[in-house]
């Protein structure tokens, strides 16, 4: 669970009564992408897939790498994560 934080000073500066930010950067996998990546990997893991590719070096890539490390630390049957080739 990630906190919802209120920012009064910012709200005042932009002429609003209230403004909130959902702090997804505090999520275990450091992004909102960390909510869907484990679900997707589990779906394919349950179909006996063990190798995964991700075409992101951003939040999805970070969430995937963190989840893969977490998964592999808890399971004897490991999964592998590969970057997609850039096509160059």
């Amino acid at each position: 669970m990630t906190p919802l934080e209120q920012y009064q000073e910012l709200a005042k500066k932009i002429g609003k009564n209230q403004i909130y930010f959902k702090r997804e950067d505090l999520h275990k996998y450091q992004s909102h992408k960390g909510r869907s990546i484990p679900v997707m990997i589990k779906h394919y893991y349950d179909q006996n897939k063990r190798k995964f590719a991700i075409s992101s070096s951003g939040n999805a890539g970070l969430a995937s790498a963190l989840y893969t490390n977490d998964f592999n630390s808890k399971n004897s049957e490991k999964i592998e994560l590969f970057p997609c080739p850039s096509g160059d």
Side-chain angles (χ1 to χ4, degrees):
M1 222 171 161
T2 56
L4 187 63
E5 294 180 358
Q6 185 175 13
Y7 289 82
Q8 284 297 108
E9 290 295 317
L10 179 59
K12 268 191 224 178
K13 287 181 181 184
I14 63 172
K16 300 292 179 187
N17 292 331
Q18 298 175 341
I19 189 167
Y20 294 88
F21 286 103
K22 181 82 167 125
R23 295 293 310 273
E24 293 295 337
D25 59 311
L26 300 176
H27 184 274
K28 181 178 183 176
Y29 302 122
Q30 300 183 0
S31 162
H32 73 285
K33 307 271 174 111
R35 296 188 184 282
S36 59
I37 297 283
V39 173
M40 289 185 275
I41 290 177
K42 181 178 180 343
H43 171 80
Y44 291 105
Y45 183 86
D46 290 346
Q47 295 177 20
N48 294 316
K49 310 289 188 213
R50 301 296 182 263
K51 295 181 180 184
F52 300 91
I54 185 90
S55 62
S56 170
S57 60
N59 289 341
L62 175 61
S64 299
L66 291 170
Y67 177 73
T68 298
N69 285 340
D70 190 36
F71 181 93
N72 286 342
S73 72
K74 297 174 183 170
N75 294 281
S76 59
E77 191 169 353
K78 309 299 185 202
I79 60 175
E80 294 180 81
L81 181 66
F82 300 92
C84 287
S86 65
D88 294 332

